[in-house]
Amino acid sequence: MGNWKKIRMARSRVAILIMGVVLWCCLTTPAKAEYMKYKDPKQPIPVRIQDLLDRMTLEEKIGQMVQIERKVASADVMKEYFIGSVLSGGGSVPAPQASAETWINMVNDFQRGSLSTRLGIPMIYGIDSVHGNNNVYKATIFPHNIGLGASRDPELVNKIGAATALETRATGIPYAFAPCIAVCRDPRWGRCYESYSEDPQIVKDMTDIIPGLQGNIPTDSPKGVPFVAGKNNVVACSKHYVGDGGTTKGINENNTVIDWQGLLSIHMPAYHTSIMKGVSTVMISYSSWNGIKMHANRELITGFLKNTLGFKGFVISDWEGLDRITYPPHANYSYSIQAGIHAGIDMVMVPYNYKEFIDGLTFHVKNNVIPMSRIDDAVRRILRVKFVMGLFENPLADNSLVDQLGSQEHRELAREAVRKSLVLLKNGQSLNRPLLPLPKKTSKILVAGSHADNLGYQCGGWTIEWQGFNGNNRTIGTTIVAAIKNTIDPSTNVVFKENPNAEFVKSNNFSYAIVVVGEHPYAETDGDSMNLTIADPGPTTIRNVCGALKCVVIIISGHPVVIEPYLASIDALVAAWLPGTEGQGVADVVFGDYGFTGKLPRTWFKTVDQLPMNVGDPHYDPLYPFGFGITTEPTTRQSDDNPFLSISSYFN
């Protein structure tokens, strides 16, 4: 018996040893990673969305709905609060004159915080690339939309969209808050230069910028589904839904009083066209429609945009858009959250007080004030855009596109856009004695005016800073006076004096003068104007110069301005709008290398008392009607004794 006992004990020890070895192997052999459908790019996007949504907690879902400003963002904040998006507000940059690489490093730092979360949902970074990647040093600054509307050239606008996408991606950013498809019906509005035209058809035509930004939508793409072609493209954003350009007296963020048919026929068409072209996001307007704040308008956001028009991308608020549902803003933020999310807003540009928003929305969901179905709809839409654009497969930016920023090719495109945006309103004191194009070869010419040698002024608002800048040292470009010097014959003496007195003008024996005046830069409410005048000392400069010399006046402005009091003394008048960094395009046309082709995208009034006044109105009595523009032919004329080629004027 003793031997049997010893044998049994030995067998037990062997069994225990084998079990230990097996257990050790189990513990040390890596477990096969769980297959997650949402991480598999081969799975259909609806399957990926549902798989991820099923895994998400309420906290993770609400985080996706939050967009915060870069100043309050960090990798730790992204990770702790599951933040879905970050933005740069106007002028918000990682460093003054930051390089593309500096931008990329900042964006990637935030992204790594997002990727380190439990589910690793990447964030999407957005910026106001409204006329190029305009916050960024050395970027190509294209003409503002009002000038592009004057070009009547959707193909050109499509190319500008593609160039803007490349320059935005060059800084690691995949989301542009563009285009603005407002139909500005009153030039007193401070955002009128962001509108292509007072005519809904022109605005519709210019939505060709969307496939430029996002890529061409496949012919078999389902209606309303967002589309982004790849890493050379960006998510676009049609804004501001809806009626932002129709407010009373053009007051920014005010009330648009118009019936349903008027809203549909004037302000809505470009949204339908945008959706057909695959736009990924729509931004809501601060304004109201017949007294109802758009940020709280469920009928128009959920009922019409999502359900009737079939928009499947995500709806984003404007900056502090929920706060401004109440007056004063933020007076009842709990109500604002409830009203905005219930209306159908999916992502909220908070942008600073994100903890208050997260706590408020969480409270409303847990107390059944906002149903989970509304949260799921918002998150499903946000994830759809992120999957469509390939953000899960390529969340981190690299340096492969940095050379696109301010590239020569893009500057040439911007120069072409400037040429096509110029509108010639007057050419000579009589039709048979035109002044333009000017001779390149003459003895001496005068260039005058506050806007002739000021890159900031010619770019306008939304350039480097939210409100724009003054001077030539904030970014790279060509001023109009530099362009003139580049273009004229080397033997011609160019004298630049910003605001010469009458005696100086008369005593210097100039052949002719070019006067460049206009508005100082502005954005949004700061641009609202009830008088629409040329900034001082512009009127004085016009009087002093044009009273003594043959003169061309070039107006740099974001909307038509009062010009009739000075018109008799002006020999030639050019509306150059806000041309951007490539001032060479102005000289190209003024000196005849190219002809004038631009047409007024909006009515030029005689006096502000006539406003609002749009083409088709019964009281229509403009100084220059919508569609007006004198055309000229290019000429190779080099001296002031050569004949001018034929010119004509016509209307659209």
Side-chain angles (χ1 to χ4, degrees):
M1 291 294 293
N3 287 336
W4 280 109
K5 188 175 181 180
K6 289 177 181 178
I7 291 169
R8 283 199 300 271
M9 288 177 66
R11 285 174 176 171
S12 297
R13 290 191 186 101
V14 170
I16 291 168
L17 181 63
I18 291 170
M19 287 175 63
V21 171
V22 170
L23 181 63
W24 180 82
C25 288
C26 290
L27 290 173
T28 56
T29 301
K32 187 177 180 181
E34 180 190 357
Y35 172 66
M36 297 183 180
K37 288 182 179 178
Y38 80 89
K39 291 187 176 181
D40 183 356
K42 296 177 183 176
Q43 290 287 343
I45 285 176
V47 172
R48 298 179 76 184
I49 292 170
Q50 193 59 52
D51 180 66
L52 180 50
L53 200 61
D54 290 344
R55 298 171 187 273
M56 295 173 74
T57 64
L58 175 61
E59 188 180 11
E60 288 166 331
K61 289 176 180 178
I62 288 176
Q64 282 302 300
M65 298 171 67
V66 179
Q67 185 178 68
I68 62 174
E69 219 285 332
R70 55 160 289 280
K71 292 172 185 172
V72 297
S74 68
D76 289 341
V77 167
M78 304 305 290
K79 181 178 181 180
E80 183 176 353
Y81 295 95
F82 309 103
I83 301 297
S85 184
V86 182
L87 85 150
S88 278
S92 180
V93 299
Q97 300 188 353
S99 66
E101 291 85 353
T102 300
W103 279 94
I104 289 167
N105 291 338
M106 175 193 70
V107 173
N108 283 347
D109 182 56
F110 298 148
Q111 189 68 283
R112 289 186 183 96
S114 295
L115 297 177
S116 70
T117 57
R118 182 178 72 94
L119 295 171
I121 304 172
M123 68 87 192
I124 182 170
Y125 197 105
I127 197 166
D128 284 283
S129 293
V130 297
H131 62 143
N133 192 1
N134 43 260
N135 281 284
V136 177
Y137 178 65
K138 288 187 178 179
T140 307
I141 306 299
F142 293 92
H144 267 299
N145 287 355
I146 190 171
L148 300 182
S151 78
R152 302 291 202 278
D153 192 339
E155 185 179 346
L156 171 69
V157 169
N158 179 273
K159 292 176 183 176
I160 289 170
T164 299
L166 286 169
E167 295 213 13
T168 303
R169 281 284 197 172
T171 54
I173 297 172
Y175 182 15
F177 304 132
C180 177
I181 53 172
V183 181
C184 176
R185 301 291 284 178
D186 193 321
R188 291 173 291 189
W189 186 35
R191 305 193 79 156
C192 207
Y193 65 79
E194 297 183 59
S195 167
Y196 293 108
S197 178
E198 71 189 43
D199 177 26
Q201 184 58 50
I202 290 176
V203 178
K204 273 183 65 177
D205 292 344
M206 294 304 171
T207 59
D208 268 8
I209 195 171
I210 292 168
L213 290 163
Q214 296 191 157
N216 291 313
I217 190 167
T219 53
D220 59 348
S221 182
K223 180 195 170 189
V225 174
F227 175 78
V228 182
K231 292 197 292 182
N232 289 353
N233 298 95
V234 293
V235 168
C237 179
S238 289
K239 66 183 187 182
H240 310 81
Y241 184 83
V242 60
D244 51 344
T247 60
T248 302
K249 295 184 179 179
I251 298 170
N252 193 41
E253 304 181 21
N254 206 255
N255 189 25
T256 296
V257 179
I258 195 170
D259 63 19
W260 175 239
Q261 194 54 46
L263 191 75
L264 282 182
S265 63
I266 295 173
H267 300 286
M268 196 67 77
Y271 286 95
H272 179 257
T273 308
S274 295
I275 292 166
M276 296 299 288
K277 291 175 181 176
V279 75
S280 297
T281 71
V282 170
M283 186 182 292
I284 304 302
S285 177
Y286 289 126
S287 59
S288 302
W289 176 50
N290 295 335
I292 301 172
K293 287 277 188 179
M294 275 307 308
H295 275 78
N297 196 321
R298 181 174 172 81
E299 177 189 355
L300 282 177
I301 298 173
T302 297
F304 196 78
L305 179 66
K306 291 184 174 180
N307 295 343
T308 302
L309 295 182
F311 175 61
K312 302 293 194 299
F314 70 77
V315 174
I316 186 169
S317 82
D318 207 333
W319 178 280
E320 294 180 346
L322 295 197
D323 305 61
R324 301 187 202 186
I325 289 173
T326 60
Y327 188 82
H330 207 79
N332 186 346
Y333 196 52
S334 178
Y335 164 74
S336 293
I337 294 171
Q338 177 190 341
I341 302 303
H342 175 71
I345 293 171
D346 304 312
M347 181 179 283
V348 176
M349 194 183 292
V350 178
Y352 298 123
N353 300 319
Y354 58 92
K355 294 178 187 177
E356 182 184 11
F357 171 78
I358 290 169
D359 290 346
L361 183 52
T362 303
F363 176 85
H364 285 319
V365 176
K366 288 185 174 178
N367 287 276
N368 299 315
V369 176
I370 294 175
M372 183 60 80
S373 59
R374 174 71 273 272
I375 302 301
D376 286 349
D377 172 60
V379 177
R380 184 175 280 109
R381 289 167 176 275
I382 293 164
L383 294 179
R384 182 177 292 124
V385 172
K386 290 184 177 183
F387 280 124
V388 161
M389 66 185 290
L391 194 60
F392 281 77
E393 287 68 56
N394 296 290
L396 295 171
D398 58 39
N399 291 357
S400 60
L401 295 175
V402 295
D403 290 343
Q404 296 288 339
L405 188 70
S407 73
Q408 190 58 39
E409 182 182 353
H410 295 163
R411 292 188 183 278
E412 288 299 327
L413 178 64
R415 181 175 172 179
E416 177 189 353
V418 174
R419 292 195 294 262
K420 292 181 174 179
S421 71
L422 302 177
V423 181
L424 181 56
L425 298 174
K426 181 178 180 181
N427 193 15
Q429 296 296 357
S430 63
L431 283 174
N432 60 350
R433 294 189 62 81
L435 181 61
L436 293 174
L438 293 171
K440 296 179 182 179
K441 187 174 184 179
T442 189
S443 56
K444 185 164 60 171
I445 65 173
L446 171 65
V447 180
S450 51
H451 291 55
D453 190 29
N454 197 308
L455 197 60
Y457 284 5
Q458 75 187 45
C459 288
W462 290 111
T463 309
I464 304 300
E465 301 285 354
W466 175 39
Q467 295 293 330
F469 67 94
N470 175 11
N472 296 330
N473 61 353
R474 299 294 303 277
T475 195
I476 305 300
T478 304
T479 65
I480 292 171
V481 71
I484 291 167
K485 291 176 179 178
N486 291 340
T487 306
I488 53 105
D489 188 272
S491 65
T492 301
N493 183 16
V494 178
V495 176
F496 171 62
K497 196 165 182 65
E498 189 170 312
N499 187 28
N501 59 39
E503 181 57 34
F504 176 86
V505 176
K506 291 173 183 174
S507 62
N508 269 278
N509 198 29
F510 295 110
S511 301
Y512 57 80
I514 301 171
V515 178
V516 191
V517 293
E519 299 179 309
H520 294 159
Y522 52 78
E524 301 194 41
T525 305
D526 284 12
D528 286 359
S529 172
M530 293 299 113
N531 54 30
L532 296 176
T533 51
I534 294 170
D536 287 331
T540 302
T541 308
I542 292 172
R543 281 192 294 266
N544 288 347
V545 175
C546 296
L549 285 176
K550 284 195 178 299
C551 74
V552 181
V553 172
I554 299 171
I555 304 291
I556 305 293
S557 69
H559 35 214
V561 291
V562 174
I563 195 68
E564 192 179 35
Y566 325 111
L567 199 53
S569 66
I570 295 171
D571 295 286
L573 179 63
V574 177
W577 314 112
L578 298 168
T581 51
E582 304 314 301
Q584 191 64 49
V586 176
D588 286 344
V589 181
V590 167
F591 289 97
D593 291 333
Y594 294 81
F596 282 92
T597 57
K599 303 293 163 192
L600 282 181
R602 57 178 318 101
T603 300
W604 202 294
F605 57 86
K606 293 175 181 175
T607 71
V608 291
D609 297 335
Q610 297 175 294
L611 301 176
M613 177 176 60
N614 295 285
V615 64
D617 287 352
H619 63 287
Y620 199 66
D621 182 29
L623 181 64
Y624 297 110
F626 168 84
F628 179 80
I630 300 171
T631 60
T632 65
E633 296 297 325
T635 176
T636 55
R637 186 171 51 85
Q638 293 296 313
S639 63
D640 54 8
D641 57 359
N642 281 354
F644 289 88
L645 298 183
S646 63
I647 62 168
S648 63
S649 64
Y650 63 95
F651 306 90
N652 282 350

